Amino acid sequence: MPKHLEAAPWLAVHDRLLAALGAQHWWPGETPFEVMVGAVLTQNTAWSNVERAIANLKAADALSVAAILRLGDGELAALIRPAGYFNVKTRRLKALCGFLERAGVGGDPVRLARGGRLPALRQRLLEVNGVGEETADSILLYALGLPSFVVDAYTRRIFARLGLIGGAETYAHIRRTFMDRLPPDPALYNEYHALIVALGKDFCRPKPRCASCPLVDLCPRRGLE
Ligand code: SF4
């Protein structure tokens, strides 16, 4: 099938969501480094908890690579406590900051984007303790502005119900499915993932609200009927 025809349903879902839900203005972080920290802290917790942890880091003047590396583990854990799993996340934040420092971009983490091709950079991130695929792609896309599609549980659920994926594929397979069909446009990937999250939270929930869903006429509701 020609590529532009394959892309059509995927772009149609994006366009419909954007028209219905509006631009989501992601990621809610003031600097690339704040986005990176948020990507680690948001693992297994709600964003409101991440906001409280980041506010603590800001209040302690500790939202920088150097400051986080200077803090003792106990001090850092106390600051990020609202985000949960604070001992694990302390180790992960320190590992990420150590990586940035060793890469020579501690003072300006966005410079990491200039460090080579996306697949190689993604692989380097995945080698950092606690950085899994979703975190790596969130950092690449939302902190560094690179075209790496983010897949999460909402993506899996929504696109399985839409009949565009099976639902049990690996993260890598679903990411590749999106990236093979969409142009490598960071702005498009940014908005699309944010819209998917909005739909998953408000409509395509475990018990879906199909009657009011903006995709209802596009959706076979696979697995639900
Ligand atoms: S119509 Fe229902 S199943 Fe389909 S995307 Fe919307 S909420 Fe999910």
Side-chain angles (χ1 to χ4, degrees), residues 67-124:
I68 286 178
L69 289 175
R70 258 198 315 270
L71 284 173
D73 286 0
E75 293 171 296
L76 180 56
L79 291 171
I80 65 169
R81 190 180 188 94
Y85 304 98
F86 45 88
N87 288 325
V88 171
K89 290 180 181 177
T90 291
R91 288 197 293 278
R92 291 181 176 179
L93 276 185
K94 290 246 175 177
L96 177 64
C97 290
F99 164 72
L100 294 169
E101 185 83 344
R102 286 192 303 280
V105 300
D108 184 11
V110 79
R111 282 173 42 225
L112 198 60
R114 296 181 213 144
R117 296 182 61 242
L118 191 148
L121 181 53
R122 185 173 190 268
Q123 187 53 43
R124 286 169 69 201

Side-chain angles (χ1 to χ4, degrees), residues 161 203-204 208 210 213 216 219 224:
R161 288 172 173 175
F203 298 95
C204 203
C210 301
C213 174
V216 67
C219 184
L224 290 169

Side-chain angles (χ1 to χ4, degrees), residues 16-223:
R16 178 70 66 86
L17 291 177
L18 184 61
L21 306 177
Q24 301 295 303
H25 306 294
W26 272 36
W27 179 294
E30 288 174 10
T31 65
F33 183 63
E34 184 176 329
V35 174
M36 292 183 188
V37 170
V40 170
L41 294 180
T42 198
Q43 296 167 351
N44 303 308
T45 196
W47 185 253
S48 54
N49 297 328
V50 176
E51 286 178 326
R52 288 164 51 218
I54 287 180
N56 285 349
L57 289 169
K58 283 183 180 169
D61 201 16
L63 194 55
S64 70
V65 170
I68 286 178
L69 289 175
R70 258 198 315 270
L71 284 173
D73 286 0
E75 293 171 296
L76 180 56
L79 291 171
I80 65 169
R81 190 180 188 94
Y85 304 98
F86 45 88
N87 288 325
V88 171
K89 290 180 181 177
T90 291
R91 288 197 293 278
R92 291 181 176 179
L93 276 185
K94 290 246 175 177
L96 177 64
C97 290
F99 164 72
L100 294 169
E101 185 83 344
R102 286 192 303 280
V105 300
D108 184 11
V110 79
R111 282 173 42 225
L112 198 60
R114 296 181 213 144
R117 296 182 61 242
L118 191 148
L121 181 53
R122 185 173 190 268
Q123 187 53 43
R124 286 169 69 201
L125 280 169
L126 288 171
E127 287 164 9
V128 177
N129 174 32
V131 176
E133 292 192 281
E134 185 181 340
T135 304
D137 291 325
S138 297
I139 289 172
L140 290 165
L141 180 59
Y142 290 105
L144 302 179
L146 297 172
S148 197
F149 203 88
V150 179
V151 174
D152 65 357
Y154 294 126
T155 314
R156 195 178 284 279
R157 180 165 75 216
I158 292 166
F159 284 81
R161 288 172 173 175
L162 285 166
L164 292 172
I165 63 173
E169 298 93 333
T170 62
Y171 181 105
H173 183 100
I174 296 174
R175 173 175 177 267
R176 183 44 55 201
T177 300
F178 275 85
M179 292 176 63
D180 282 347
R181 286 161 180 76
L182 299 171
D185 176 354
L188 173 67
Y189 289 9
N190 177 323
E191 196 60 59
Y192 208 160
H193 175 64
L195 289 163
I196 287 167
V197 172
L199 188 83
K201 281 185 173 161
D202 294 338
F203 298 95
C204 203
R205 298 159 66 98
K207 189 165 177 228
R209 298 170 175 168
C210 301
S212 55
C213 174
L215 301 181
V216 67
D217 61 312
L218 303 177
C219 184
R221 297 165 36 86
R222 189 187 280 171

